[in-house]
Amino acid sequence: VGSRPILFAGVHCTAMDLLLRTLGTCTQISAIHRPFGNEQFDEIVLRGRGRATRRVISKHEPRALMRAIQNGEHVYVAADQMDTTSGALPSVFLGQQTVRTATLVRLAEKYAAAVLPVHMIRTGARYQLTVHPPLNLDGGSRAADVATLNRAFEAMIATAPSQYYWVHRRFRDPD
């Protein structure tokens, strides 16, 4: 990917924080964090992710995220949840109609960033980190690019469905 910033696109899974720690040993990486609404739990998670990454950027600080990418930082984004904002797009994810975020697609487009799907699964007593080749997000429309991202996420989930966080809200009727 040359000198382009990298957006590592992942899913919420049981090994997500270990994935961040492992990537952090290979490259300087920042991570997006959505506060949980529990100060004590947030402090524990932020402390752990802060040790594993260059920095943790709140999902509520879009300017900090854009500055990081503009400065060439690599960023991990778990972008597999539904989106209720005005920029969400109707899409099919895991065979169900829902609304999905186009943020990752818009950031890649704006900053010419490479999007590399990445996931980690537990295999017995070991863990396997997989960094996939960059996605071709030039499908002619954001909706087509979100569909490409969804297919990459679905393929990652299919490798170890029991390790995926099924409890997150993922589906909402787009109407």
Side-chain angles (χ1 to χ4, degrees), residues 82-161:
M82 74 174 183
D83 189 352
T84 57
T85 65
S86 62
L89 296 173
S91 186
V92 175
F93 183 57
L94 296 169
Q96 294 190 37
Q97 189 69 36
T98 189
V99 286
R100 305 284 294 139
T101 183
T103 301
L104 198 62
V105 170
R106 287 194 313 267
L107 290 170
E109 181 182 291
K110 181 172 183 165
Y111 298 104
V115 177
L116 277 67
V118 59
H119 73 289
M120 180 175 270
I121 60 170
R122 187 184 71 255
T123 57
R126 296 177 180 251
Y127 289 86
Q128 176 184 339
L129 173 68
T130 305
V131 179
H132 299 273
L135 293 177
N136 178 6
L137 295 180
D138 191 20
S141 73
R142 286 192 179 142
D145 291 343
V146 167
T148 297
L149 197 55
N150 284 347
R151 285 191 298 277
F153 289 156
E154 290 167 341
M156 289 189 281
I157 293 165
T159 63

Side-chain angles (χ1 to χ4, degrees), residues 41-110:
F41 189 65
D42 277 333
E43 183 180 324
I44 291 167
V45 170
L46 288 172
R47 187 171 46 239
R49 289 181 183 168
R51 283 194 303 260
T53 62
R54 178 179 183 168
R55 67 176 156 153
V56 180
I57 303 167
S58 171
K59 102 173 228 174
H60 302 298
E61 298 176 9
R63 285 192 172 99
L65 172 60
M66 290 185 284
R67 267 194 312 275
I69 299 168
Q70 194 170 19
N71 291 334
E73 289 183 35
H74 305 322
V75 180
Y76 176 83
V77 182
D80 58 319
Q81 295 182 338
M82 74 174 183
D83 189 352
T84 57
T85 65
S86 62
L89 296 173
S91 186
V92 175
F93 183 57
L94 296 169
Q96 294 190 37
Q97 189 69 36
T98 189
V99 286
R100 305 284 294 139
T101 183
T103 301
L104 198 62
V105 170
R106 287 194 313 267
L107 290 170
E109 181 182 291
K110 181 172 183 165

